[in-house]
Amino acid sequence: MQKSIIAALLLASCSGSVVHALPSGAQSFAPALAQINNSTPPFQAWLPELLQQFNQLPQIKAQQAKLKQAELMMLAADNAVYNPALDVSYEDGVDQTYGIGISQTLDWGDKRGAATRTAMLQAEILRSDVALSRSQALAELLLAIVEQRRQGKILHFQMQQLDAAQRQLTIAKQQLQAGLLSQAEHQLIQLELASRAAEHAMVEQEAIAADAKVLMLMGTASVAFNDFITALSVDDSRYVIRSEVTPELPALKGAYQQVLLAKWATEQVKADTAADPTISFGAEREGDDNKFTLGLSVPLHLRNNYRDTHAVASSEVAVAEQNYLAQVRVISQQQQLFQLSFPRLQQRYEQWRQLVLSSSAGIADALGQQWQAGDISTSDYLQSQRQLASSYLAGLSLESALYQAWLDWMGASGQLEHYLTAQLSLPAHAKASK
């Protein structure tokens, strides 16, 4: 019966035959539904402030310090490996002997070049890891903020429902006194008020927990944010979103560069174990005699030819490749899950918007009028209100699931920060057309 009542009211509201007056308790749906139906504001309204707060977090500043350290390591690696050595000697014998010499080891194995290349690869790996970490941290933060906003919407909705239930009880008392309502129906309204009060208390706890999560992540529970659900996309090159799995994906760059570093490690070992010669020049004066010396020394790899060291470096390549393939497997699974779930969630959400948002407010008002006029029973009225409330809360859950699926993929793939910063540089007409 309830479904037929809502269907009839839906038809009436769509045809314009329901007059929105005497709203009673059902009026609380209109403001709550309007919160979702608002157009998405531009990112410029909140994103710059959020990113500024994010960059001030201690763990983010620590990452920035590591990046600066990596730059310094590249500069240090590009310096000369060997400094010249100065040798001064004096001997007091029959004849006093004075000597001075200078020696220089030559970087014959190109240790400097190998170290510079290694430092560059390590810096690239660190940049990739930091970029991935930042995207994952941003995704976690935005998910926490989205949940905070969702709980705030639910709390606001439940407050409206509680106020509506209190108004319903007032009307029910008047109708009971006028003989238009039975004692049993009056008690149903009282039970409904008690149920709304209990739901409000439970939602309050969940809202406090959501505030606490944001507080733990950002140091404050008040963070600038506006919904951007209409900007979510599966794969759009214009907005720097890639759903394919390639080595260029930020989440795989670090692992791929680890393979390059492992391959280069064999060259690094060759350079480190190279027999670098040392050339020396000297001058000596013994009594009235002057002597000049020229020397050359070369290390001999007799007791250790470093073959095992080379073998260890070569084996690291296989380890790095397997680690990369394992990472590819994980990212591929996440990508498949994203492409499987996100379009379906998006489709359900659009259907919900069309079916619920376009008519629920009219139905809610009509239900109140029908109940006050005695056209429907109190139990049917309360049941219909419950169905409408359930529809609204289901939409909020779909909205949260959409954010969850999108942010999980964007964070895990390392694309989130790049996407957000790209949004700030897009012209206003591009945002409007999206």
Side-chain angles (χ1 to χ4, degrees):
M1 180 178 179
Q2 290 82 7
K3 292 183 178 179
S4 62
I5 291 173
I6 292 181
L9 290 171
L10 176 60
L11 179 61
S13 65
C14 291
S15 61
S17 61
V18 174
V19 179
H20 297 275
L22 303 175
S24 78
Q27 188 184 24
S28 62
F29 284 93
L33 294 170
Q35 291 180 3
I36 296 182
N37 208 21
N38 288 338
S39 59
T40 301
F43 282 86
Q44 281 88 346
W46 59 274
L47 186 55
E49 181 181 349
L50 179 66
L51 291 178
Q52 184 178 10
Q53 290 178 294
F54 177 76
N55 287 325
Q56 295 303 313
L57 295 175
Q59 61 270 31
I60 301 303
K61 286 189 173 182
Q63 291 176 343
Q64 294 171 349
K66 286 184 179 180
L67 291 175
K68 292 181 179 179
Q69 184 183 43
E71 295 176 358
L72 293 175
M73 291 177 65
M74 284 192 295
L75 293 175
D78 195 38
N79 291 325
V81 178
Y82 302 110
N83 283 314
L86 178 65
D87 178 36
V88 178
S89 63
Y90 169 75
E91 183 179 347
D92 187 9
V94 177
D95 294 320
Q96 291 182 338
T97 304
Y98 304 89
I100 187 172
I102 189 170
S103 61
Q104 174 68 60
T105 302
L106 304 179
D107 188 10
W108 199 262
D110 196 19
K111 289 180 173 63
R112 175 182 177 180
T116 301
R117 174 61 175 165
T118 299
M120 291 175 61
L121 285 172
Q122 290 173 340
E124 286 299 321
I125 291 171
L126 181 60
R127 290 191 191 100
S128 299
D129 291 345
V130 167
L132 177 59
S133 177
R134 285 174 63 91
S135 282
Q136 292 173 340
L138 273 172
E140 181 184 9
L141 173 60
L142 285 176
L143 279 173
I145 297 174
V146 165
E147 179 62 16
Q148 181 191 43
R149 293 302 188 270
R150 185 176 81 93
Q151 292 298 334
K153 291 176 184 177
I154 295 176
L155 180 60
H156 181 67
F157 177 71
Q158 293 295 354
M159 289 177 64
Q160 291 178 328
Q161 292 292 92
L162 181 59
D163 292 340
Q166 290 172 340
R167 291 194 298 269
Q168 288 170 1
L169 183 58
T170 300
I171 295 173
K173 288 179 179 179
Q174 296 171 353
Q175 291 182 335
L176 178 63
Q177 294 173 356
L180 301 176
L181 197 70
S182 67
Q183 183 65 36
E185 289 177 313
H186 180 262
Q187 290 177 349
L188 283 177
I189 297 294
Q190 286 181 315
L191 288 174
E192 180 68 11
L193 176 59
S195 177
R196 294 295 184 185
E199 290 176 355
H200 180 268
M202 294 177 63
V203 170
E204 186 78 58
Q205 296 178 37
E206 294 173 354
I208 292 173
D211 288 340
K213 181 66 179 294
V214 176
L215 179 62
M216 292 292 292
L217 292 174
M218 290 293 288
T220 176
S222 178
V223 182
F225 177 79
N226 282 321
D227 287 323
F228 59 99
I229 195 166
T230 58
L232 306 184
S233 175
V234 175
D235 192 344
D236 194 334
S237 58
R238 295 177 303 162
Y239 296 92
V240 207
I241 303 176
R242 300 184 180 88
S243 61
E244 72 276 7
V245 177
T246 68
E248 293 302 314
L249 198 65
L252 296 177
K253 275 188 177 181
Y256 184 73
Q257 288 162 344
Q258 287 283 3
V259 176
L260 299 180
L261 180 61
K263 291 180 178 179
W264 178 254
T266 58
E267 300 299 322
Q268 177 76 57
V269 170
K270 290 180 181 178
D272 290 341
T273 59
D276 293 337
T278 301
I279 299 177
S280 59
F281 302 90
E284 184 177 298
R285 181 178 179 84
E286 184 178 356
D288 295 330
D289 297 332
N290 294 323
K291 300 178 181 179
F292 297 94
T293 59
L294 174 63
L296 175 66
S297 63
V298 179
L300 300 177
H301 293 171
L302 297 178
R303 301 182 63 188
N304 186 358
N305 58 12
Y306 300 100
R307 182 179 301 173
D308 294 335
T309 306
H310 285 271
V312 171
S314 298
S315 65
E316 288 293 330
V317 177
V319 175
E321 287 176 345
Q322 292 304 314
N323 287 336
Y324 171 73
L325 293 176
Q327 188 67 21
V328 169
R329 184 172 180 269
V330 172
I331 294 298
S332 296
Q333 291 174 342
Q334 292 174 321
Q335 178 257 354
Q336 291 173 15
L337 177 61
F338 172 70
Q339 289 195 320
L340 176 67
S341 61
F342 185 81
R344 295 163 63 183
L345 289 171
Q346 202 169 37
Q347 185 178 8
R348 298 289 85 77
Y349 181 74
E350 290 303 321
Q351 288 178 347
W352 174 83
R353 286 174 62 90
Q354 294 173 9
L355 294 175
V356 177
L357 291 184
S358 61
S359 56
S360 291
I363 294 176
D365 290 345
L367 281 171
Q369 296 173 25
Q370 294 278 345
W371 173 66
Q372 293 184 57
D375 294 337
I376 59 175
S377 67
T378 300
S379 60
D380 288 341
Y381 169 59
L382 295 178
Q383 178 69 17
S384 300
Q385 273 199 312
R386 284 283 178 178
Q387 290 178 350
L388 289 175
S390 177
S391 298
Y392 172 71
L393 296 177
L396 289 183
S397 295
L398 275 173
E399 185 179 276
S400 179
L402 269 173
Y403 276 120
Q404 178 85 45
W406 191 81
L407 288 171
D408 279 348
W409 167 248
M410 294 294 286
S413 63
Q415 301 181 87
L416 182 57
E417 184 177 17
H418 193 186
Y419 169 81
L420 293 177
T421 53
Q423 291 297 312
L424 295 178
S425 61
L426 288 175
H429 65 83
K431 293 178 182 296
S433 64
K434 182 160 169 60

